[in-house]
Amino acid sequence: MDPLQFLVPLGWLSAVGPALPYAIFVMTVANLATRHLAHRRHVEQGQDADSVEAYTPHVFTNVGLVLLTFLYILTAPVRGTILIVLVLAMFIADLFELEARNVEARNDMEIEAPKSSIAASLVVLIWSSYYALFFLVEGIWNQFVVA
């Protein structure tokens, strides 16, 4: 008996569950791409105006990554919890970096790259690629690591 069967209808989730690591990995790569596009847009906005606005596709990938990771907690509780901590740290770093870009735009400073958000998203990329692409190194890994 699954402990969550009375709280969450897991029938549909058991069918989608094995694909969640791949979806999270794809969403993480998309998040990195939209982060780059958002930075270019913020630089343009910072030169033209006194504030920068959130880039809608980047917001979509951030929220999508958080939602997918919360779903992953239901199928793989330990892996999902580790990943959600990293994703939420990235999400919070994005909020602070957006405010930092607004401060730079208001004070006519050069718009810098969101370094903490980039670092956090790279950590998320490493962990999500480990979960999604482990089959590539599984043979070598099992030869050397005794579990």
Side-chain angles (χ1 to χ4, degrees), residues 16-84:
V16 177
L20 281 175
Y22 305 109
I24 291 171
F25 177 70
V26 168
M27 189 67 82
T28 304
V29 172
N31 187 279
L32 282 168
T34 58
R35 184 178 311 282
H36 176 69
L37 296 174
H39 175 64
R40 285 198 325 197
R41 185 166 182 211
H42 289 165
V43 169
E44 292 171 2
Q45 287 177 348
Q47 292 172 352
D48 298 338
D50 286 342
S51 67
V52 296
E53 296 176 1
Y55 188 56
T56 307
H58 186 63
V59 172
F60 173 76
T61 59
N62 272 342
V63 172
L65 197 53
V66 169
L67 293 176
L68 282 173
T69 309
F70 274 126
L71 280 177
Y72 191 52
I73 287 177
L74 295 175
T75 60
V78 174
R79 289 178 169 197
T81 303
I82 293 169
L83 198 55
I84 195 64

Side-chain angles (χ1 to χ4, degrees), residues 84-104:
I84 195 64
V85 168
L86 299 173
V87 169
L88 287 177
M90 181 193 71
F91 186 77
I92 292 169
D94 270 342
L95 294 176
F96 282 105
E97 289 286 352
L98 181 63
E99 186 57 36
R101 302 298 79 84
N102 276 321
V103 169
E104 291 170 351

